[in-house]
Short mmCIF file of all heavy atoms in Angstrom, two decimals:
data_model
loop_
_atom_site.label_atom_id
_atom_site.label_comp_id
_atom_site.label_asym_id
_atom_site.label_seq_id
_atom_site.Cartn_x
_atom_site.Cartn_y
_atom_site.Cartn_z
N ASP E 1 -4.03 -6.94 17.49
CA ASP E 1 -2.84 -6.19 17.08
C ASP E 1 -2.28 -6.70 15.76
O ASP E 1 -1.17 -6.34 15.36
CB ASP E 1 -1.77 -6.25 18.16
CG ASP E 1 -2.14 -5.40 19.38
OD1 ASP E 1 -2.84 -4.39 19.20
OD2 ASP E 1 -1.72 -5.75 20.49
N ALA E 2 -3.06 -7.53 15.06
CA ALA E 2 -2.65 -8.04 13.75
C ALA E 2 -3.52 -7.42 12.66
O ALA E 2 -4.65 -7.00 12.89
CB ALA E 2 -2.80 -9.57 13.70
N VAL E 3 -2.95 -7.37 11.47
CA VAL E 3 -3.64 -6.87 10.28
C VAL E 3 -3.75 -8.03 9.30
O VAL E 3 -2.74 -8.67 8.99
CB VAL E 3 -2.84 -5.72 9.63
CG1 VAL E 3 -3.35 -5.42 8.26
CG2 VAL E 3 -2.86 -4.50 10.50
N ARG E 4 -4.95 -8.30 8.83
CA ARG E 4 -5.15 -9.31 7.79
C ARG E 4 -5.45 -8.58 6.49
O ARG E 4 -6.54 -8.02 6.34
CB ARG E 4 -6.28 -10.26 8.18
CG ARG E 4 -5.97 -11.00 9.46
CD ARG E 4 -6.94 -12.12 9.76
NE ARG E 4 -6.53 -12.80 10.99
CZ ARG E 4 -5.57 -13.71 11.07
NH1 ARG E 4 -4.91 -14.06 9.98
NH2 ARG E 4 -5.27 -14.25 12.23
N VAL E 5 -4.46 -8.56 5.61
CA VAL E 5 -4.59 -7.82 4.35
C VAL E 5 -5.60 -8.52 3.46
O VAL E 5 -5.52 -9.72 3.23
CB VAL E 5 -3.22 -7.70 3.64
CG1 VAL E 5 -3.38 -7.05 2.28
CG2 VAL E 5 -2.25 -6.91 4.50
N VAL E 6 -6.56 -7.75 2.97
CA VAL E 6 -7.55 -8.26 2.01
C VAL E 6 -7.01 -8.07 0.60
O VAL E 6 -7.15 -8.94 -0.24
CB VAL E 6 -8.90 -7.52 2.19
CG1 VAL E 6 -9.88 -7.93 1.11
CG2 VAL E 6 -9.47 -7.78 3.57
N GLY E 7 -6.38 -6.92 0.34
CA GLY E 7 -5.82 -6.67 -0.97
C GLY E 7 -5.11 -5.33 -1.03
O GLY E 7 -5.28 -4.48 -0.16
N THR E 8 -4.28 -5.20 -2.04
CA THR E 8 -3.57 -3.94 -2.30
C THR E 8 -3.79 -3.59 -3.76
O THR E 8 -4.04 -4.46 -4.60
CB THR E 8 -2.06 -4.07 -2.03
OG1 THR E 8 -1.52 -5.09 -2.87
CG2 THR E 8 -1.78 -4.40 -0.58
N ALA E 9 -3.68 -2.30 -4.07
CA ALA E 9 -3.82 -1.85 -5.47
C ALA E 9 -2.93 -0.63 -5.66
O ALA E 9 -2.71 0.15 -4.74
CB ALA E 9 -5.27 -1.50 -5.77
N GLY E 10 -2.44 -0.48 -6.87
CA GLY E 10 -1.61 0.66 -7.23
C GLY E 10 -0.38 0.21 -7.97
O GLY E 10 -0.18 -0.99 -8.22
N LEU E 11 0.46 1.16 -8.32
CA LEU E 11 1.71 0.86 -9.00
C LEU E 11 2.75 0.50 -7.96
O LEU E 11 3.46 1.35 -7.45
CB LEU E 11 2.17 2.07 -9.82
CG LEU E 11 1.19 2.54 -10.90
CD1 LEU E 11 1.69 3.83 -11.52
CD2 LEU E 11 1.04 1.46 -11.95
N ILE E 12 2.83 -0.78 -7.62
CA ILE E 12 3.63 -1.19 -6.47
C ILE E 12 5.08 -1.45 -6.86
O ILE E 12 5.96 -1.20 -6.10
CB ILE E 12 2.98 -2.39 -5.77
CG1 ILE E 12 1.65 -1.92 -5.22
CG2 ILE E 12 3.87 -2.95 -4.68
CD1 ILE E 12 0.84 -2.94 -4.52
N GLY E 13 5.40 -1.95 -7.99
CA GLY E 13 6.78 -2.10 -8.45
C GLY E 13 7.71 -2.84 -7.52
O GLY E 13 8.12 -2.34 -6.50
N GLY E 14 8.07 -4.06 -7.85
CA GLY E 14 9.02 -4.83 -7.07
C GLY E 14 8.41 -5.36 -5.78
O GLY E 14 7.33 -4.97 -5.37
N GLY E 15 9.11 -6.28 -5.17
CA GLY E 15 8.63 -6.84 -3.91
C GLY E 15 7.47 -7.80 -4.12
O GLY E 15 7.07 -8.11 -5.23
N GLU E 16 6.94 -8.26 -3.04
CA GLU E 16 5.83 -9.21 -3.09
C GLU E 16 4.56 -8.47 -3.50
O GLU E 16 4.21 -7.46 -2.91
CB GLU E 16 5.66 -9.84 -1.71
CG GLU E 16 4.72 -11.00 -1.72
CD GLU E 16 4.83 -11.85 -0.47
OE1 GLU E 16 5.80 -11.69 0.28
OE2 GLU E 16 3.94 -12.66 -0.26
N PRO E 17 3.84 -8.95 -4.52
CA PRO E 17 2.70 -8.21 -5.06
C PRO E 17 1.61 -7.84 -4.06
O PRO E 17 1.00 -6.80 -4.17
CB PRO E 17 2.13 -9.14 -6.13
CG PRO E 17 3.21 -10.08 -6.45
CD PRO E 17 4.08 -10.18 -5.23
N GLU E 18 1.37 -8.66 -3.07
CA GLU E 18 0.29 -8.36 -2.13
C GLU E 18 0.77 -7.63 -0.89
O GLU E 18 0.00 -7.31 -0.01
CB GLU E 18 -0.45 -9.65 -1.74
CG GLU E 18 0.45 -10.71 -1.19
CD GLU E 18 -0.23 -12.06 -1.05
OE1 GLU E 18 -1.22 -12.33 -1.71
OE2 GLU E 18 0.26 -12.85 -0.23
N LEU E 19 2.07 -7.33 -0.80
CA LEU E 19 2.62 -6.61 0.34
C LEU E 19 2.33 -5.12 0.21
O LEU E 19 2.58 -4.53 -0.84
CB LEU E 19 4.12 -6.84 0.42
CG LEU E 19 4.84 -6.43 1.69
CD1 LEU E 19 4.31 -7.21 2.89
CD2 LEU E 19 6.33 -6.64 1.54
N PRO E 20 1.77 -4.48 1.24
CA PRO E 20 1.51 -3.04 1.16
C PRO E 20 2.80 -2.24 0.96
O PRO E 20 3.88 -2.68 1.34
CB PRO E 20 0.90 -2.72 2.54
CG PRO E 20 0.35 -4.02 3.03
CD PRO E 20 1.30 -5.07 2.49
N ILE E 21 2.67 -1.05 0.37
CA ILE E 21 3.83 -0.19 0.18
C ILE E 21 4.35 0.28 1.53
O ILE E 21 3.64 0.25 2.54
CB ILE E 21 3.51 1.00 -0.76
CG1 ILE E 21 2.43 1.89 -0.17
CG2 ILE E 21 3.16 0.51 -2.15
CD1 ILE E 21 2.20 3.19 -0.95
N ASP E 22 5.60 0.74 1.55
CA ASP E 22 6.26 1.14 2.79
C ASP E 22 5.47 2.18 3.58
O ASP E 22 5.37 2.10 4.81
CB ASP E 22 7.66 1.68 2.51
CG ASP E 22 8.63 0.59 2.08
OD1 ASP E 22 8.34 -0.59 2.34
OD2 ASP E 22 9.68 0.93 1.50
N GLU E 23 4.89 3.17 2.89
CA GLU E 23 4.13 4.21 3.58
C GLU E 23 2.95 3.63 4.33
O GLU E 23 2.62 4.06 5.44
CB GLU E 23 3.64 5.28 2.59
CG GLU E 23 4.75 6.14 2.01
CD GLU E 23 5.41 5.52 0.77
OE1 GLU E 23 5.17 4.31 0.47
OE2 GLU E 23 6.17 6.24 0.12
N HIS E 24 2.30 2.63 3.76
CA HIS E 24 1.15 1.99 4.40
C HIS E 24 1.60 1.13 5.58
O HIS E 24 0.91 1.06 6.61
CB HIS E 24 0.34 1.18 3.40
CG HIS E 24 -0.32 2.03 2.38
ND1 HIS E 24 -1.26 1.52 1.51
CD2 HIS E 24 -0.20 3.35 2.06
CE1 HIS E 24 -1.68 2.49 0.70
NE2 HIS E 24 -1.03 3.61 1.02
N LEU E 25 2.77 0.49 5.45
CA LEU E 25 3.31 -0.27 6.57
C LEU E 25 3.62 0.66 7.75
O LEU E 25 3.37 0.31 8.90
CB LEU E 25 4.57 -1.04 6.14
CG LEU E 25 4.34 -2.16 5.13
CD1 LEU E 25 5.68 -2.73 4.67
CD2 LEU E 25 3.44 -3.24 5.69
N GLU E 26 4.12 1.86 7.44
CA GLU E 26 4.40 2.84 8.50
C GLU E 26 3.11 3.27 9.19
O GLU E 26 3.09 3.45 10.41
CB GLU E 26 5.14 4.04 7.94
CG GLU E 26 6.60 3.77 7.63
CD GLU E 26 7.38 3.27 8.83
OE1 GLU E 26 7.23 3.84 9.93
OE2 GLU E 26 8.14 2.31 8.67
N VAL E 27 2.04 3.47 8.43
CA VAL E 27 0.74 3.82 9.02
C VAL E 27 0.29 2.71 9.96
O VAL E 27 -0.14 2.98 11.09
CB VAL E 27 -0.32 4.08 7.93
CG1 VAL E 27 -1.71 4.18 8.53
CG2 VAL E 27 0.02 5.35 7.15
N LEU E 28 0.39 1.46 9.53
CA LEU E 28 -0.03 0.34 10.37
C LEU E 28 0.78 0.28 11.65
O LEU E 28 0.23 0.07 12.74
CB LEU E 28 0.08 -0.97 9.58
CG LEU E 28 -0.89 -1.09 8.40
CD1 LEU E 28 -0.54 -2.29 7.53
CD2 LEU E 28 -2.33 -1.16 8.88
N ARG E 29 2.10 0.48 11.55
CA ARG E 29 2.94 0.52 12.75
C ARG E 29 2.51 1.66 13.67
O ARG E 29 2.42 1.50 14.89
CB ARG E 29 4.40 0.71 12.37
CG ARG E 29 5.06 -0.52 11.81
CD ARG E 29 6.55 -0.27 11.55
NE ARG E 29 7.08 -1.32 10.72
CZ ARG E 29 7.34 -1.21 9.41
NH1 ARG E 29 7.16 -0.05 8.79
NH2 ARG E 29 7.79 -2.23 8.74
N GLY E 30 2.25 2.83 13.08
CA GLY E 30 1.84 3.99 13.85
C GLY E 30 0.53 3.78 14.58
O GLY E 30 0.28 4.40 15.63
#
């Protein structure tokens, strides 16, 4: 039930650079 992030890419703007964007966090929760 855990996710180990390998990497993120895109125009993320603000926040922790390797943290997925909110929409992706919602997908993971879903």
Side-chain angles (χ1 to χ4, degrees):
D1 288 330
V3 167
R4 299 190 178 280
V5 174
V6 174
T8 59
L11 300 173
I12 296 179
E16 191 165 346
E18 55 191 22
L19 192 62
I21 62 172
D22 289 342
E23 291 86 348
H24 293 190
L25 293 174
E26 286 302 316
V27 169
L28 294 169
R29 285 184 194 103

